[in-house]
Amino acid sequence: MSVDRLAAPISVDVAIVGAGVSGAFMAHELSKTHSVAVLDRRPPLMGSTVASTALLQWEIDLPLTELAKKIGPQKAKRAYLRSRRAVDALKQVVAEERIACGLKDKSSLYLAGDQHGHRALEAEAAARAEIGLDSRYLGPGALRERFGVERTGAVVSSGSASGDPARLAAGLLRRARANGARIWSPVEVLQAVSDPDGVTLLTDADHAVRAKSVVFCSGYEFPRGVPTPGLDVISTWAMASTPRQRCPAWLRNMLVWEASDPYLYMRMSGDGRLIVGGEDEASPVAHSDKAKLKRKCRTLAAELRRLLPHVAFEIDYAWAGAFGQSTTGLPRIGPVPGMEHTWAVMGFGGNGITYSVIAAQIVAAEVRGEGDADADLYRT
């Protein structure tokens, strides 16, 4: 990925802080109509993007029936339908821009667990179907016959996908550069100061960046002077098998996750690796414990054996990372409180790449002076 060194002050229409997948979608969209600078203190793609397991789902961590209790039935419906459209939009961008990222259509298998049992999942499938989403409930007999899985029930839904998040982000950044965007790295934004005409970013390169608008796509790393809403940062773990892992044939076309806490999820990669993750902990630093990584992998492997006893998993590599969690499973996308011309994108929950698409759509519309009918869903 070609980058520039910040050797002099610059002025642009839009400065995007963060060169991960959220910043890449934002740059791809805004570079169509504005001059864009992407800034990152690391090389591009080296933040949380490389740790993503890339389950490109429209399903939200909180079931539709539960989300409706928190934000109301109409808002919950809008949130689910917007996520569904976002996955379709992602697929369209990849096709139109010819981004080689191993994108593959997949369905999802949502298994009953200790948080939501078979009755809750039966109601969930019915609620999704009622608003036009392709979801079907499977009882224990049908689940055993079709997938060989012993659970009290599950929801099968179509319309999701998987892919390589680093190649996706790299492809988007290359297209943005073709539109005139420039990527400046390494450069750390130390402070942001807004005024009625725009925003000045002070950097560790001793050169300022002046922009009419600024979008922070920097995960949970914000510079001085930028207020952030309360958030819960937690730790998560994942592991990947060796290539050409022997698995049931149906798993090649399915994303699997469960309604448990902590939960297990898995998918197959394009080179035949089985990627398994979960075991989240409510700690922003636990993921840095190398000894805990080994323990978590043992736990994940044991959970996998319970679910798919005939799969002999051989770990090739494992990793851990931090991500945000909200009570609704929805991200925060919107203006930074108390700062003019400034937006923040904070992707909560397990389907962060889907939220990156939504963020690019909403923020780009607002930067252009337009609006988005669903922006209110992501302001809390």
Side-chain angles (χ1 to χ4, degrees), residues 350-378:
N351 47 351
I353 295 177
T354 303
Y355 291 152
S356 296
V357 177
I358 295 172
Q361 294 169 338
I362 289 175
V363 175
E366 293 182 351
V367 167
R368 292 169 182 150
E370 303 163 359
D372 189 292
D374 291 327
D376 62 302
L377 296 173
Y378 310 104

Side-chain angles (χ1 to χ4, degrees), residues 25-48:
F25 270 109
M26 197 70 65
H28 173 263
E29 182 61 35
L30 282 168
S31 64
K32 298 173 185 177
T33 52
H34 293 72
S35 60
V36 170
V38 182
L39 313 171
D40 204 309
R41 67 187 184 92
R42 304 180 183 92
L45 321 177
M46 294 308 295
S48 60

Side-chain angles (χ1 to χ4, degrees), residues 108-326:
S108 73
L109 181 66
Y110 184 37
L111 299 167
D114 58 23
Q115 279 201 316
H116 305 292
H118 65 96
R119 292 186 182 87
L121 291 200
E122 191 168 10
E124 176 69 10
R128 294 180 184 182
E130 187 176 346
I131 65 172
L133 296 170
D134 180 22
S135 293
R136 305 176 305 284
Y137 175 74
L138 296 181
L143 182 60
R144 185 184 308 111
E145 180 179 354
R146 182 171 172 184
F147 298 107
V149 171
E150 294 290 343
R151 285 291 174 95
T152 57
V155 177
V156 178
S157 302
S158 66
S160 292
S162 66
D164 184 320
R167 289 165 61 198
L168 170 62
L172 291 166
L173 289 173
R174 283 194 292 269
R175 302 308 185 271
R177 282 183 66 92
N179 289 335
R182 296 182 70 179
I183 305 166
W184 306 90
S185 170
V187 55
E188 183 169 5
V189 175
L190 302 175
Q191 187 171 4
V193 181
S194 68
D195 58 60
D197 299 318
V199 184
T200 300
L201 301 177
L202 305 180
T203 74
D204 65 349
D206 294 327
H207 300 295
V209 176
R210 180 67 180 174
K212 296 176 183 177
S213 302
V214 170
V215 188
F216 288 98
C217 300
S218 50
Y220 316 107
E221 303 170 336
F222 285 79
R224 186 159 49 92
V226 180
T228 57
L231 57 92
D232 292 324
V233 179
I234 68 175
S235 294
T236 189
W237 289 263
M239 59 185 188
S241 74
T242 54
R244 296 177 294 281
Q245 167 74 46
R246 295 187 65 179
C247 285
W250 59 264
L251 193 51
R252 299 190 187 99
N253 302 306
M254 193 73 64
L255 309 177
V256 181
W257 59 308
E258 60 179 2
S260 296
D261 185 19
Y263 70 99
L264 182 79
Y265 64 85
M266 69 188 76
R267 74 170 179 91
M268 297 292 293
S269 68
D271 60 354
R273 297 178 188 271
L274 179 59
I275 299 171
V276 181
E279 281 299 304
D280 300 351
E281 281 192 13
S283 165
V285 297
H287 64 89
S288 61
D289 185 337
K290 293 183 179 179
K292 179 163 282 191
L293 175 60
K294 294 180 179 179
R295 295 196 299 272
K296 289 291 186 177
C297 284
R298 288 195 294 268
T299 301
L300 288 170
E303 291 296 321
L304 175 63
R305 281 194 299 273
R306 275 192 281 272
L307 185 65
L308 300 175
H310 302 299
V311 173
F313 188 92
E314 183 180 346
I315 298 177
D316 192 17
Y317 59 95
W319 66 100
F323 75 98
Q325 180 174 263
S326 71

